[in-house]
């Protein structure tokens, strides 16, 4: 099965900073990748699918890029409400594995 | 908008069984079960497509079975031989069917573009 990794595992940044999270697959998954935001006490929220397509209703400060094995999620200007754990998920074929997550905090 | 409501969580001893249910208010192309163990990240567990195909994570294969009752628009997760490491909040999640254009089908030509509809979750605790 394809393994997913994310880096960093956690980060702390200031409001307004540009934040980048990396997701890597150990085999080619083309652009079959989604990103989720999971806030404490809330249900997960789909941010991006097909590696770079912004889900309806998601703020435009979120963007995704990449293809093949390397992907990034970028928050262009970090806001206090962005404190959450972010996960990538591959969906080229089952199993639809999630990455281990990246926890984002605001300084 | 599709809504999902889980039920069936609870406390069970190791080796025991539980059946979770996920009632959908409308059509979904697929329903997944995703869990989050205490202190851990999200873990994909299983999927059932509207056509009936099913898949499982290796960690639950042979112990968990996903099924559905079309007449009640409800998906079930039968969990047998439960272990302490199955303790988690279990979410059912699916799609709103609103995806259009590219990225809506994976390489196996199954409609899948992520999980944009989630239930509130139900807690399963496996402990002696």
């Amino acid at each position: 099965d394809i393994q997913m990794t994310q880096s960093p595992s956690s980060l702390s940044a200031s409001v307004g900073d540009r934040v980048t999270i990396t997701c890597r697959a150990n085999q080619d998954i083309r652009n079959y990748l989604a990103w989720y935001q999971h806030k404490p006490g809330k249900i997960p929220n789909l941010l991006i699918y097909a590696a770079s397509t912004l889900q309806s209703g998601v703020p435009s400060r979120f963007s995704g890029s990449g293809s093949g094995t390397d992907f990034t999620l970028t928050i262009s200007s970090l806001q206090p409400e962005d404190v959450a754990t972010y996960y990538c998920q591959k969906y080229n074929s089952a199993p639809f594995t999630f990455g281990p997550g990246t926890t984002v905090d605001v300084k | 908008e599709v809504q999902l409501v889980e039920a069936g969580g609870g406390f069970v001893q190791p080796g025991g069984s539980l059946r979770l249910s996920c009632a959908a208010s409308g059509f979904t192309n697929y329903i997944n079960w995703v869990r989050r163990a205490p202190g851990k990240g999200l873990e994909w567990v299983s999927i059932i497509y509207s056509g009936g195909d099913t898949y499982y994570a290796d960690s639950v294969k042979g112990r968990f079975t996903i099924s559905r009752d079309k007449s009640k628009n409800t998906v079930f997760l039968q969990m047998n031989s439960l272990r302490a490491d199955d303790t988690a909040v279990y979410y059912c999640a699916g799609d709103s069917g609103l995806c259009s254009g590219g990225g809506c089908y994976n390489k196996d030509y199954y409609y899948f573009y992520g999980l944009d509809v989630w239930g509130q979750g139900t807690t399963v605790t496996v402990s002696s």
Side-chain angles (χ1 to χ4, degrees):
Chain A
D1 291 344
I2 296 174
Q3 305 301 315
M4 306 299 292
T5 58
Q6 286 182 234
S7 62
S9 57
S10 64
L11 67 90
S12 185
S14 300
V15 172
D17 282 355
R18 183 180 184 88
V19 168
T20 298
I21 299 168
T22 297
C23 174
R24 184 161 291 161
N26 65 355
Q27 295 178 39
D28 186 351
I29 60 170
R30 295 176 61 179
N31 69 334
Y32 298 118
L33 188 96
W35 287 97
Y36 300 84
Q37 174 193 62
H38 194 189
K39 296 181 180 180
K42 304 287 189 180
I43 60 176
N45 182 40
L46 176 66
L47 299 174
I48 286 166
Y49 64 93
S52 60
T53 302
L54 198 67
Q55 172 71 359
S56 176
V58 173
S60 60
R61 64 180 179 274
F62 292 93
S63 65
S65 64
S67 183
T69 60
D70 294 314
F71 304 87
T72 58
L73 173 70
T74 300
I75 308 173
S76 62
S77 177
L78 187 68
Q79 300 301 305
E81 61 266 32
D82 299 334
V83 170
T85 301
Y86 293 83
Y87 298 90
C88 58
Q89 181 193 30
K90 71 148 189 95
Y91 61 89
N92 61 315
S93 60
F96 300 133
T97 309
F98 287 94
T102 296
T103 300
V104 174
D105 196 8
V106 173
K107 287 180 183 175
Chain B
E1 181 179 317
V2 176
Q3 292 187 327
L4 303 176
V5 178
E6 304 100 334
F11 186 96
V12 62
Q13 292 188 332
S17 298
L18 273 180
R19 188 174 83 154
L20 306 182
S21 65
C22 173
S25 63
F27 175 78
T28 57
N29 287 283
Y30 46 82
I31 292 288
N32 295 246
W33 287 97
V34 175
R35 67 186 181 184
R36 184 171 186 181
K40 300 283 185 69
L42 297 177
E43 180 185 13
W44 180 80
V45 174
S46 183
I47 186 172
I48 186 165
Y49 283 96
S50 59
D53 283 14
T54 62
Y55 296 90
Y56 300 91
D58 287 346
S59 59
V60 306
K61 205 173 292 183
R63 300 187 300 122
F64 291 11
T65 302
I66 193 169
S67 63
R68 63 184 179 167
D69 182 333
K70 276 188 174 181
S71 66
K72 297 179 180 177
N73 215 13
T74 299
V75 168
F76 301 97
L77 186 68
Q78 177 67 42
M79 305 186 296
N80 298 330
S81 303
L82 282 163
R83 312 184 303 220
D85 62 0
D86 293 317
T87 295
V89 176
Y90 284 74
Y91 299 96
C92 65
D95 71 299
S96 59
L98 298 179
C99 184
S100 62
C104 299
Y105 289 85
N106 64 21
K107 74 172 185 60
D108 293 332
Y109 301 103
Y110 279 110
Y111 185 95
F112 194 100
Y113 71 102
L115 307 172
D116 66 334
V117 182
W118 292 72
Q120 288 300 313
T122 187
T123 300
V124 172
T125 303
V126 184
S127 176
S128 54

